[in-house]
Amino acid sequence: MTQKLALVTGAARGIGLATTKLFLQEGWQVAMIDRDVPALEEASMGLDGAKAFVCDVSQPEAVDQLITDVMATFGRIDALVNNAGVADFGPIEDTSFARWRTVMETNLDSVFLMSQAATPALKASRGAIVNIASISGLRASTLRVAYGTSKAAVIHLTKQQAAELGEYGIRANCVCPGPVRTKLAMAVHTPEIIAAYHDAIPLNRYGSEGEIGEVIVFLCSAKASYVTGQVISSDGGFESTGVGLPALRA
Ligand SMILES: NC(=O)c1ccc[n+]([C@@H]2O[C@H](COP(=O)([O-])OP(=O)(O)OC[C@H]3O[C@@H](n4cnc5c(N)ncnc54)[C@H](O)[C@@H]3O)[C@@H](O)[C@H]2O)c1
């Protein structure tokens, strides 16, 4: 049987690495993409069926070269997971244009660039795109002017992709993770933020990388063959909930 190929960005750690391992368990091959060379080398070591590609996915020329290299190696792309992301929380007044652009480049520009460059291959495979946004793209909060706005744009970009690429049999969906204890989250989650998340989440805990990965792999699989243009939260119920949980628990 021909093995399918998933391209996962930000695969050196966190949600991207967990997703890579789940794809491999399901019998897919994986092109692991990251710009952190030592982390990528370490993460990909010993993962049968995975191959590492170093790339900064926010850079147009690098992305074009990457897709050429992945096609030269595997000859196909069946799923594209746009997972690479950066977080930078700060007040609106302190967010310089340079900080804003840094967040937009990776979180939003890369999703546009990678999806566009992979479209010919995805047309050929009638493949799937899964973009990783965030609960911060669905609900506004303090300090997330750049991060939250970038993720809200990813949610809409997903719907644009689904609308236009459905013609070619390409599905595009978006996963919005709630909080997961990765390096990205722990760099911006203060003790106060961690406590506030617990207060606001019906399941009363952070999620795991694998719990996000399972949703991503499902959306890439044939089991989701009639699902496109959807935004699915894997968030312990955070997005669905209003006020009152802490009082109810007490
Ligand atoms: N962890 C959370 O709580 C959480 C919540 C909601 C959404 N997310 C989203 O999930 C995705 C994965 O986050 P994570 O928590 O696993 O983060 P992480 O920091 O553990 O991993 C992100 C990976 O992306 C890579 N990366 C960043 N910019 C890149 C670029 N320009 N080119 C190539 N690689 C790049 C990093 O080197 C890193 O290996 C992100 O899009 C993030 O915004 C995370």
Side-chain angles (χ1 to χ4, degrees), residues 9-16 33-36 39 55-58 82-86 106-107 110 132-135 147 151 176-185 189 206 209:
T9 72
R13 62 175 191 240
I15 293 167
I33 318 304
D34 213 286
R35 67 178 173 189
D36 183 336
C55 178
D56 180 338
V57 291
S58 69
N82 286 309
N83 163 77
V86 293
T106 287
N107 292 9
S110 76
I132 311 309
S134 170
I135 291 303
Y147 184 77
K151 295 300 192 179
C176 293
V180 179
R181 288 180 186 278
T182 61
K183 195 168 176 183
L184 173 144
H189 288 190
Y206 273 45
E209 292 89 336

Side-chain angles (χ1 to χ4, degrees), residues 6 8 11-12 17 20 30-34 40 43-44 47 50-54:
V8 180
L17 179 56
T20 296
V30 181
M32 298 173 70
I33 318 304
D34 213 286
L40 183 62
S44 60
L47 289 183
K51 185 168 166 47
F53 295 83
V54 176

Side-chain angles (χ1 to χ4, degrees), residues 166-245:
E167 204 66 36
Y168 308 115
I170 300 173
R171 298 180 298 103
N173 292 292
C174 185
V175 174
C176 293
V180 179
R181 288 180 186 278
T182 61
K183 195 168 176 183
L184 173 144
M186 288 305 105
V188 287
H189 288 190
T190 59
E192 293 76 17
I193 290 178
I194 292 170
Y197 270 123
H198 277 271
D199 281 350
I201 293 175
L203 291 183
N204 199 6
R205 63 174 175 85
Y206 273 45
S208 70
E209 292 89 336
E211 286 175 309
I212 313 301
E214 292 283 2
V215 182
I216 298 169
V217 172
F218 163 72
L219 288 169
C220 293
S221 78
K223 290 177 184 165
S225 56
Y226 201 50
V227 182
T228 194
Q230 297 306 300
V231 180
I232 299 182
S233 301
S234 181
D235 69 343
F238 179 58
E239 205 269 324
S240 67
T241 312
V243 294
L245 275 179

